[in-house]
C-alpha cells in the first residue's frame, strides 16, 4: 500500500435549506478527516454532493427508472470513493426521506466494505440515538464499514451555547480520527470506471433494471 496514492472521500449532505447545518457538519467532518490523513502523509480530495440539488432527479428516477447525468455522476462518485461521509437531518426520529431515497438508488452491494462516517443533526439532543437505531443499521444492511463514532449535532451545538461537557468539535475530531485510521489501513480504490453502471448497479444491470423490480411495490 502506497501512502502517496491520493484517496477520494465522497461527502453526502441531505440538508434541505441553503445554507444548512447539515452541510456545515458535513464540511467540518470532511476538513477534520483531511487534516488527520495529512498527518499520516496521505493526500485526499473531497467530492461533496448536495442531495437537495438532486431531489427532482432522484424522484424521477424512482418513478421512471431513468437517471439524468447529474444523478449518475453523483452515484458514481459515491460508490467509487475510498470512503464516505454521510450526513442527514433527523425527521420524525429517523433519516430524511431524501437521504433514504438516494441510498435506494444504489445497488445493495455498492458500498460493501466502504469506510463510512455517519453524521446527523436535529433541533434537540433527544434525537441523537437515531444514529444508532436508524442510520447505522441502514449501512450495516449495505455491508459498509461504519466507524464506531457517529457524530450528532443539535441546535445547541452551534454557537456560544454549545455543550461544554461534550463539545461538537471533540466529537468531530473523534469520528474523523477513526475514519482516517480506517482509510490508512485500506488499499486505495483503483482500476474501476466510476461511471460504468455495472460498477454501481451490478453486472448487466441498468437503472431500469434496478427500478423494474420495484414497479409493483
Amino acid at each position: 500500500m502506497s501512502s502517496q496514492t491520493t484517496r477520494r472521500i465522497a461527502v453526502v449532505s441531505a440538508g434541505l435549506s441553503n445554507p444548512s447545518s447539515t452541510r456545515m457538519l458535513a464540511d467540518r467532518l470532511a476538513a477534520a478527516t483531511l487534516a488527520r490523513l495529512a498527518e499520516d502523509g496521505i493526500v485526499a480530495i473531497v467530492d461533496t454532493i448536495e442531495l437537495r440539488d438532486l431531489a427532482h432527479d432522484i424522484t424521477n428516477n424512482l418513478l421512471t427508472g431513468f437517471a439524468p447525468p447529474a444523478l449518475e455522476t453523483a452515484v458514481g462518485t459515491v460508490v467509487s470513493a475510498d470512503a464516505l461521509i454521510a450526513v442527514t437531518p433527523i425527521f420524525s426520529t429517523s433519516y430524511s426521506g431524501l437521504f433514504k431515497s438516494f441510498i435506494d438508488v444504489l445497488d445493495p452491494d455498492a458500498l460493501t466494505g466502504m469506510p463510512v462516517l455517519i453524521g446527523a443533526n436535529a433541533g434537540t439532543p433527544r434525537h441523537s440515538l437515531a444514529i444508532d437505531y436508524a442510520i447505522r443499521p441502514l449501512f450495516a444492511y449495505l455491508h459498509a464499514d461504519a466507524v464506531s463514532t457517529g457524530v450528532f449535532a443539535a441546535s445547541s451545538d452551534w454557537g456560544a451555547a454549545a455543550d461544554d461537557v461534550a463539545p461538537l468539535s471533540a466529537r468531530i475530531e473523534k469520528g474523523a480520527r477513526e475514519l482516517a485510521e480506517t482509510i490508512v489501513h485500506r488499499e486505495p480504490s483503483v482500476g474501476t470506471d466510476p461511471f460504468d453502471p455495472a460498477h454501481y448497479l451490478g453486472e448487466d444491470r441498468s437503472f431500469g433494471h434496478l427500478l423494474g423490480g420495484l414497479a409493483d411495490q
Side-chain angles (χ1 to χ4, degrees):
M1 177 173 58
S2 172
S3 62
Q4 299 304 312
T5 302
T6 300
R7 307 303 208 278
R8 293 193 309 105
I9 301 172
V11 178
V12 171
S13 171
L16 298 182
S17 59
N18 185 22
S20 72
S21 54
T22 301
R23 176 60 186 269
M24 290 168 58
L25 179 58
D27 288 344
R28 289 186 60 179
L29 291 170
T33 302
L34 289 179
R36 277 289 176 175
L37 289 171
E39 292 177 2
D40 290 307
I42 293 178
V43 176
I45 58 175
V46 170
D47 295 306
T48 301
I49 298 165
E50 282 275 16
L51 294 187
R52 65 185 300 276
D53 297 333
L54 298 170
H56 292 293
D57 287 349
I58 293 171
T59 300
N60 289 336
N61 183 41
L62 292 174
L63 294 174
T64 68
F66 173 75
L71 179 57
E72 284 202 57
T73 298
V75 171
T77 296
V78 169
V79 303
S80 63
D82 293 289
L84 171 65
I85 296 174
V87 187
T88 178
I90 301 300
F91 296 150
S92 301
T93 74
S94 188
Y95 38 69
S96 73
L98 179 60
F99 181 83
K100 181 57 164 58
S101 294
F102 179 73
I103 295 298
D104 286 341
V105 170
L106 307 178
D107 181 85
D109 297 321
L111 299 183
T112 297
M114 180 175 291
V116 178
L117 174 56
I118 298 169
N121 70 284
T124 170
R126 292 195 300 272
H127 292 304
S128 61
L129 292 178
I131 285 180
D132 289 323
Y133 69 67
I135 309 173
R136 192 176 298 281
L138 174 63
F139 284 104
Y141 170 78
L142 297 171
H143 306 291
D145 184 14
V147 300
S148 298
T149 297
V151 181
F152 178 85
S155 295
S156 59
D157 287 307
W158 305 102
D163 183 4
D164 292 330
V165 177
L168 179 58
S169 57
R171 302 197 295 276
I172 289 174
E173 177 62 25
K174 184 177 181 183
R177 181 176 65 251
E178 291 175 3
L179 182 64
E181 289 174 351
T182 304
I183 294 172
V184 167
H185 291 95
R186 288 172 54 88
E187 291 290 341
S189 177
V190 295
T192 303
D193 178 1
F195 304 112
D196 179 1
H199 174 53
Y200 47 85
L201 297 178
E203 287 292 339
D204 299 320
R205 300 182 72 190
S206 65
F207 278 94
H209 284 94
L210 180 63
L211 276 301
L214 302 178
D216 298 325
Q217 296 185 14

